[in-house]
Amino acid sequence: MAFYLRFCITMETLHAIFGVGKHLTVGNMCARSFVVFFLALLLLRVSGRRSFGLKTPLDLIISILLGSILSRGVVGASPFVPVIVSCLLIVLLHRLFAWATAHHKWLRNITEGKEILLYKNRKFIDRNLDKALVNKDDVLPTVRKYLSSDDLEKVDKVYMERNGEITVTKISGKEQNLSDPHWDAETQMKNPEKG
């Protein structure tokens, strides 16, 4: 009987602090926000660093779902404990899929896709631009960012990576000099640092 009485008092105290249902006071929402902040931090630590580092579709899922579900717990739109349990399940699923995609390329290709080559041999690949849903004007700002120049002659390849980021690889020194009419192969062999 004493245990039941203590349990009831504890539940009344928790209801007073965190509230019940959708009719919450400012204090109830602040208390819920305080707890959810630390729970979200714990859940993100469990899910792993890649959750916000790689920004692949798998990683975006966790940030969108955790944000929307945890907010329901703060505002009282859903019961608090089921919200936390469902978020824990999402985090564990993310961790499982992250491990599986790290060890199985075929699954990685299904969940994250493959990089798309957009530019090679001084030409844009139109069918790949269409596949990536970008155009040449979308690529040029990235070229300027990487090379501090609009000069596509310095670009070896441009990719759209799995996470949607556009990356640029420069032509290496020797390849760049080969396109220069003033470049002399014999001089380059004797003085490679001049290339």
Side-chain angles (χ1 to χ4, degrees), residues 150-187:
D150 278 333
D151 187 5
L152 290 171
E153 295 294 316
K154 297 178 182 178
V155 175
D156 182 29
K157 295 176 186 163
V158 177
Y159 291 93
M160 177 172 276
E161 302 296 344
R162 294 171 187 259
N163 63 3
E165 182 182 354
I166 296 174
T167 58
V168 177
T169 59
K170 291 192 311 184
I171 294 176
S172 67
K174 287 183 181 179
E175 290 175 25
Q176 195 168 359
N177 284 334
L178 285 172
S179 65
D180 183 355
H182 303 293
W183 186 76
D184 178 10
E186 279 186 37
T187 307

Side-chain angles (χ1 to χ4, degrees), residues 100-115:
T101 58
H103 291 86
H104 302 286
K105 187 175 181 176
W106 64 269
L107 184 59
R108 185 170 52 247
N109 290 339
I110 291 170
T111 60
E112 299 174 4
K114 295 180 180 180
E115 65 277 352

Side-chain angles (χ1 to χ4, degrees), residues 47-75:
S47 75
R49 294 180 183 180
R50 73 168 276 162
S51 299
F52 289 98
L54 295 182
K55 299 176 187 164
T56 64
L58 180 64
D59 304 315
L60 290 176
I61 287 170
I62 194 167
S63 59
I64 293 168
L65 287 178
L66 281 184
S68 63
I69 294 172
L70 285 173
S71 68
R72 294 184 64 79
V74 171
V75 299

Side-chain angles (χ1 to χ4, degrees), residues 128-154:
N128 287 355
L129 288 170
D130 290 341
K131 184 177 177 183
L133 301 175
V134 295
N135 59 46
K136 296 170 188 174
D137 293 333
D138 296 324
V139 173
L140 289 176
T142 306
V143 171
R144 287 191 289 271
K145 179 180 171 184
Y146 276 80
L147 303 179
S148 300
S149 169
D150 278 333
D151 187 5
L152 290 171
E153 295 294 316
K154 297 178 182 178

